[in-house]
Amino acid sequence: MLGTMAAERLPMPAPTPDAAPSTVGAAPAGKTRRRAGRPVARVLDQNGITTAALELISAKGYDGLTMAALAKSLGVAPSALYNHVSSKDDVLLLLEDHLAAMVDVSAFGTEPWDVAVRKWAWSYRDVFSKHTPLIPVIAVLPVANAPKTLAMYEAVTAGFRDAGFPEERIISAIVALEAFVFGAAYDVNAPEDIFDAGSLADQVPNFTAAVDRLAAEGHAMPTNVAFSLGLEALIAGLGALRQ
Amino acid sequence: MLGTMAAERLPMPAPTPDAAPSTVGAAPAGKTRRRAGRPVARVLDQNGITTAALELISAKGYDGLTMAALAKSLGVAPSALYNHVSSKDDVLLLLEDHLAAMVDVSAFGTEPWDVAVRKWAWSYRDVFSKHTPLIPVIAVLPVANAPKTLAMYEAVTAGFRDAGFPEERIISAIVALEAFVFGAAYDVNAPEDIFDAGSLADQVPNFTAAVDRLAAEGHAMPTNVAFSLGLEALIAGLGALRQ
DNA sequence: ACCTGAACACCGTTCAAGT
DNA sequence: ACCTGAACACCGTTCAAGT
């Protein structure tokens, strides 16, 4: 649908040995002026676009990820991007799939089910907590457009099956865990004073007392306490479905 | 910080009896032309803006919620909105707080803890599944700016305390449940074929088999199966913390 | 096929001017 | 205090022209 599936692995025309793997025809941004017309060597590809987008995000955040800024960092005109992606959403999809490959599924098949789920969920949350603007895209994304995401699901599904999960419950269990992971990824970015009721504190005494009691425990990352609490409940509850 | 707290309940100057409650000075959009300068009766307030935004969203979706469209539906110039809200994000905050008041917390204090949590969580998910663009805002929103949201938390916290929850775990448990609810709200909007691997199906046999087995059960809303599975696990696991 | 450059139809937001 | 109207600095995207 979005036309982003083809991996575009085509032979590079005499690749310069010192070039970064994702840099194709190259020309460092804004060095020499390219004249109009098709260039002799292709300048862009989806890999390079993805890498440049990640660099831009890590430097300027998602607010800095505009098609214009992305094009500039690649040394092309904004319109050139549309030869390789169909829209900005398509760029987000490329990012999502790249990140999915960084989620740790290695423990499925080598470690007990609960250990593997725990590793996977923490890793999944950590990766996407730095990329929450992708969550609305992922949560609704047909997997057919994201091969690495699909590979992640395959590893997790196999782990669940081998652990004795009834096959007709596996997808639902994964969806439930993912929902928790995505919500928790937002929570990581919440400001410290998110639960400070301010001047309304005396109108919500139970809430304020509970917030204070948690604060008194002095956890470095209270978001991790909540994540652990919920994840362990899910692991215990879902694990009981195994037979 | 955003200055949206004051409820602005000021006496209406001779309210027309047939006017909608949130309509203030009124003039149905685009009827008579208002000349520049301060109008005799105020035209806007935060309540009216919230109501108009909700109508706009239900008619055109969140893509249709622009400051220009919102202003037009209220019969004012876009810049007039900025006398009542500090930004578009501020409008989203008003919406969020309005919706928080629609979440059902009535069972806390009248029904057993697990029943109350179940009702709350389903209701919370249902309300926000139609408003997922608010989730990134909520998840990171200081509660001091959202009095109705705060009231919801107070009711839930009291319910947890009365059910014997250790006070220092209540907030973490609520945060965990909320993370799940927010993630699940996205899932409600996922397309039916989200898990269709398409041409890659034979590369992910375990996944495809699991997807097919779930589909074979023919649930009207598979998202509800996942939500129920996860929620019951959370209720059981978190409920075990009571003493 | 794959670039450039110009253009389009929006966005959210600011601010002087008016009453 | 609270409107209008004009303006600003962006956005993502399209498309003809060039090689």
Side-chain angles (χ1 to χ4, degrees):
Chain A
M1 204 176 188
L2 290 171
T4 57
M5 292 234 25
E8 289 200 27
R9 192 158 320 284
L10 32 100
M12 281 190 177
T16 51
D18 57 322
S22 64
T23 308
V24 182
K31 209 55 172 293
T32 52
R33 199 124 203 89
R34 207 175 5 255
R35 75 175 186 285
R38 182 191 180 194
V40 286
R42 58 163 36 202
V43 181
L44 297 176
D45 66 3
Q46 291 194 336
N47 257 319
I49 289 171
T50 305
T51 303
L54 285 169
E55 279 167 18
L56 198 53
I57 289 159
S58 99
K60 310 266 178 93
Y62 272 85
D63 284 348
L65 181 65
T66 67
M67 295 301 270
L70 184 54
K72 189 173 185 182
S73 81
L74 287 160
V76 298
S79 51
L81 294 169
Y82 291 86
N83 290 303
H84 303 272
V85 294
S86 62
S87 64
K88 184 177 178 180
D89 261 9
D90 205 6
V91 174
L92 297 182
L93 192 158
L94 290 175
L95 286 169
E96 188 280 324
D97 206 39
H98 177 90
L99 294 172
M102 302 179 60
V103 175
D104 184 7
V105 295
S106 67
F108 285 106
T110 64
E111 303 214 52
W113 178 82
D114 64 311
V115 176
V117 172
R118 200 172 285 115
K119 279 193 179 178
W120 170 61
W122 279 97
S123 158
Y124 203 171
R125 187 204 66 151
D126 287 345
V127 168
F128 281 96
S129 65
K130 295 183 187 74
H131 296 273
T132 53
L134 296 179
I135 291 176
V137 181
I138 317 167
V140 145
L141 166 79
V143 293
N145 296 322
K148 293 170 185 167
T149 306
L150 199 45
M152 179 188 76
Y153 286 132
E154 173 67 5
V156 177
T157 304
F160 274 56
R161 195 210 49 190
D162 294 348
F165 251 82
E167 197 162 29
E168 67 276 11
R169 289 283 162 270
I170 295 180
I171 298 299
S172 299
I174 292 174
V175 167
L177 281 161
E178 255 190 326
F180 178 65
V181 163
F182 290 154
Y186 283 117
D187 191 49
V188 173
N189 297 101
E192 257 196 57
D193 66 336
I194 187 170
F195 288 135
D196 183 352
S199 61
L200 286 69
D202 50 352
Q203 294 175 44
V204 289
N206 287 288
F207 178 72
T208 301
V211 170
D212 289 348
R213 278 294 287 274
L214 173 58
E217 293 199 312
H219 295 102
M221 298 226 63
T223 185
N224 285 354
V225 176
F227 187 68
S228 179
L229 212 58
L231 181 58
E232 295 308 318
L234 284 166
I235 289 174
L238 297 176
L241 298 174
R242 287 178 291 165
Q243 27 180 243
Chain B
M1 202 177 187
L2 289 171
T4 58
M5 292 236 22
E8 289 201 27
R9 191 158 319 284
L10 33 99
M12 281 191 177
T16 50
D18 57 324
S22 63
T23 308
V24 182
K31 209 54 173 293
T32 52
R33 198 124 205 90
R34 204 173 10 251
R35 75 175 185 285
R38 182 190 180 196
V40 287
R42 58 162 37 205
V43 181
L44 297 176
D45 67 2
Q46 291 194 335
N47 256 320
I49 290 171
T50 306
T51 302
L54 285 168
E55 278 167 20
L56 199 52
I57 290 158
S58 100
K60 310 266 179 92
Y62 273 86
D63 283 348
L65 181 65
T66 67
M67 295 301 271
L70 184 54
K72 189 174 184 182
S73 81
L74 286 160
V76 298
S79 51
L81 294 170
Y82 291 86
N83 290 304
H84 303 272
V85 295
S86 62
S87 64
K88 184 177 177 179
D89 261 9
D90 205 6
V91 175
L92 297 183
L93 192 158
L94 291 175
L95 287 169
E96 188 281 324
D97 206 40
H98 177 90
L99 294 173
M102 301 178 60
V103 175
D104 184 6
V105 294
S106 66
F108 285 105
T110 63
E111 303 213 53
W113 177 82
D114 64 309
V115 176
V117 172
R118 199 172 285 114
K119 279 193 180 177
W120 170 62
W122 278 97
S123 158
Y124 204 172
R125 188 205 66 151
D126 286 345
V127 168
F128 281 96
S129 65
K130 295 183 187 73
H131 297 272
T132 53
L134 297 179
I135 292 176
V137 180
I138 318 167
V140 145
L141 165 80
V143 291
N145 297 322
K148 292 171 186 166
T149 306
L150 200 46
M152 179 188 76
Y153 285 132
E154 173 67 5
V156 177
T157 304
F160 274 56
R161 195 209 50 188
D162 294 347
F165 251 82
E167 198 160 29
E168 67 276 10
R169 288 284 162 269
I170 295 179
I171 298 299
S172 300
I174 293 174
V175 167
L177 281 160
E178 255 190 325
F180 178 66
V181 163
F182 290 153
Y186 283 116
D187 191 48
V188 172
N189 298 99
E192 256 196 58
D193 66 337
I194 187 170
F195 288 135
D196 183 351
S199 61
L200 284 70
D202 50 352
Q203 295 175 41
V204 290
N206 286 287
F207 178 73
T208 300
V211 170
D212 290 346
R213 277 294 287 272
L214 172 59
E217 295 199 311
H219 295 103
M221 299 226 62
T223 184
N224 285 353
V225 177
F227 187 68
S228 179
L229 212 58
L231 180 59
E232 296 308 319
L234 284 167
I235 288 175
L238 298 175
L241 297 174
R242 286 179 292 165
Q243 22 178 246

